[in-house]
Amino acid sequence: MKIKGQHYRTIWLKPDDPACVQIIDQRWLPHRFVIEDIRTVEEAARAIQEMHVRGAPLIGSAGAFGIYLAMLNLPEKSDWKKKLMEAAALLKSTRPTAVNLAYAVDLSVKKILMENEKKEGVGRALETAKLITEESVEHCREIGKYGLPLIQKISEQKNGEPVNVLTHCNAGWLACIDYGTATAPVYAAHDAGIKVHVWVDETRPRNQGARITAFELLEHGVPHTIIADNTGGHLMQHGMVDLVIVGTDRTTRTGDVANKIGTYLKALAAYDNKVPFYIGLPSSSIDWELEDGVAEIPIEKRSGDEIKFMQGLEKDEIKKVLITPEKSPVANYAFDVTPARLVTGLITERGICGANEKELLNLFPEKK
């Protein structure tokens, strides 16, 4: 993705300082473009917890780089293997719903423990973080490739009229390292010259759609319109949505999908109006150990302040304002689970399949 004509990923090692990981601090978008330096595992954990970085693939990469920073900063004569496990536990505790974080941290630890010396462990940690990052980029590119024909087919059926895609939250470039998951087919279609238009859910309470998805679509030149979260059903009833594509933070082996709160309601509306409902996901977002998403996927509960306050720009100053009665209690569930029966298909880096165990295992036979 490009911002003002310059290509950016969302996380990278500072070119002239291998002890520093840099990120785009997403808290300030779209009004400020801020690059933050991360130098310790504690800073990495805080960046994940407080959503300086967010999106399942990105926090996986951030977790792996956090392990690298932990290893890099450990004293030479410390019990580094014990400290490594403490760092891993800290990182994994920050965001319990997204499976990518645990996957990346656990893989990093596994690779590091193959070494006997701390110095070699540092090298292995950096190698693994880079590997996870590059794998994520390639998986997202493949998701775009496999999802493109869905948009092409609708475009042909509409005789070249714009294909209207509805998405929820941000499953784009900023949630990943590049390309995005749910938006990867949209970018692929736009870049191929297919007319496409995106309905962007604002996505309360943190407004990742209105702030972040809209920002990146605007920068890439993709036509889009921001809508209130509750508008999607109305648009579907009136034939104004051709396709829904969303991302996922964790998907079970049976096809149940955990995603940003409100996704389930979009799936119900799509099902009722016979609008195709697809999930864009890398295999790192699949939890092969779980079968019943509603019962088994942990749902993160976040601070009520995310609902009580809204952030915006006033006279070049970013401010937070209280929008609820100050003493009213708040429940802030960050995710919900969409049952597999409501999902038309899963767009993965290996192709598209039905949201069920049999078809998933056909794409990923090594998980049988």
Side-chain angles (χ1 to χ4, degrees):
M1 288 289 300
K2 291 183 178 180
I3 302 299
K4 300 189 184 305
Q6 181 176 343
H7 177 261
Y8 285 92
R9 287 185 171 183
T10 51
I11 188 168
W12 63 94
L13 197 65
K14 191 172 183 178
D16 58 350
D17 185 357
C20 179
V21 174
Q22 293 186 300
I23 62 169
I24 298 170
D25 187 343
Q26 297 185 33
R27 294 174 300 168
W28 309 111
L29 291 173
H31 307 303
R32 300 277 189 274
F33 186 74
V34 177
I35 294 175
E36 179 181 357
D37 290 348
I38 305 292
R39 294 185 176 275
T40 68
V41 65
E42 290 80 12
E43 290 176 356
R46 184 166 59 251
I48 297 170
Q49 174 67 44
E50 297 179 0
M51 297 179 74
H52 308 200
V53 292
R54 25 76 46 210
L58 176 54
I59 66 173
S61 181
F65 274 112
I67 289 292
Y68 160 67
L69 292 173
M71 287 295 298
L72 189 67
N73 291 315
L74 287 178
E76 288 295 334
K77 295 184 179 181
S78 65
D79 185 352
W80 65 268
K81 291 186 178 181
K82 178 183 177 182
K83 295 294 185 181
L84 170 63
M85 301 310 294
E86 291 174 356
L90 170 66
L91 289 163
K92 287 165 62 175
S93 70
T94 57
R95 299 295 305 277
T97 300
V99 72
N100 299 66
L101 177 58
Y103 161 80
V105 169
D106 289 344
L107 179 61
S108 296
V109 170
K110 179 182 177 181
K111 295 292 186 180
I112 292 167
L113 291 179
M114 295 169 64
E115 305 294 343
N116 292 319
E117 302 294 331
K118 176 193 173 266
K119 181 178 180 180
E120 284 72 24
V122 172
R124 182 74 73 167
L126 181 57
E127 175 187 279
T128 305
K130 289 181 175 179
L131 176 67
I132 288 170
T133 299
E134 293 304 324
E135 180 182 70
S136 178
V137 172
E138 179 60 18
H139 285 181
C140 288
R141 189 188 68 81
E142 291 291 315
I143 289 168
K145 182 181 76 174
Y146 285 115
L148 173 59
L150 296 174
I151 298 176
Q152 284 177 320
K153 183 177 180 181
I154 296 172
S155 176
E156 291 168 0
Q157 293 169 345
K158 296 184 70 174
N159 296 315
E161 290 298 308
V163 177
N164 291 300
V165 180
L166 185 143
T167 190
H168 188 67
C169 195
N170 173 258
W173 156 64
L174 284 157
C176 304
I177 316 299
D178 218 335
Y179 298 103
T181 53
T183 58
V186 171
Y187 291 128
H190 174 78
D191 292 347
I194 297 171
K195 292 181 180 179
V196 61
H197 167 265
V198 182
W199 294 110
V200 180
D201 275 0
E202 61 180 345
T203 320
R204 287 279 294 140
R206 293 185 67 94
N207 295 312
Q208 291 104 318
R211 293 191 305 108
I212 299 175
T213 300
F215 171 78
E216 64 177 71
L217 290 172
L218 185 66
E219 289 290 331
H220 201 71
V222 179
H224 62 282
T225 305
I226 299 168
I227 56 173
D229 285 345
N230 291 328
T231 306
H234 168 79
L235 296 176
M236 293 183 210
Q237 281 183 327
H238 291 272
M240 300 171 72
V241 178
D242 300 304
L243 179 67
V244 180
I245 312 178
V246 301
T248 175
D249 291 82
R250 186 184 300 223
T251 293
T252 69
R253 67 186 294 123
T254 57
D256 294 338
V257 175
N259 193 49
K260 182 65 179 180
I261 195 76
T263 302
Y264 175 41
L265 296 178
K266 293 299 184 297
L268 288 169
Y271 186 82
D272 190 52
N273 290 280
K274 298 180 174 56
V275 175
F277 185 92
Y278 282 89
I279 312 297
L281 76 160
S283 55
S284 57
S285 294
I286 302 172
D287 189 333
W288 297 98
E289 302 299 317
L290 300 188
E291 294 186 356
D292 186 339
V294 175
E296 297 179 288
I297 294 178
I299 299 299
E300 180 180 352
K301 296 178 183 177
R302 296 184 59 82
S303 168
D305 284 354
E306 293 183 347
I307 291 176
K308 297 178 74 169
F309 290 85
M310 289 192 75
Q311 177 177 293
L313 185 68
E314 181 185 7
K315 296 180 180 179
D316 293 326
E317 183 179 352
I318 296 177
K319 295 182 177 180
K320 284 187 176 181
V321 295
L322 180 68
I323 62 171
T324 67
E326 186 176 3
K327 295 183 179 180
S328 289
V330 174
N332 185 12
Y333 296 89
F335 303 92
D336 57 26
V337 176
T338 299
R341 63 183 174 81
L342 300 177
V343 178
T344 306
L346 307 173
I347 312 170
T348 79
E349 75 270 15
R350 294 189 187 177
I352 299 177
C353 70
N356 60 72
E357 185 173 16
K358 180 180 178 180
E359 292 196 39
L360 268 171
L361 290 176
N362 283 340
L363 281 185
F364 300 93
E366 70 274 17
K367 299 297 182 179
K368 290 182 179 178

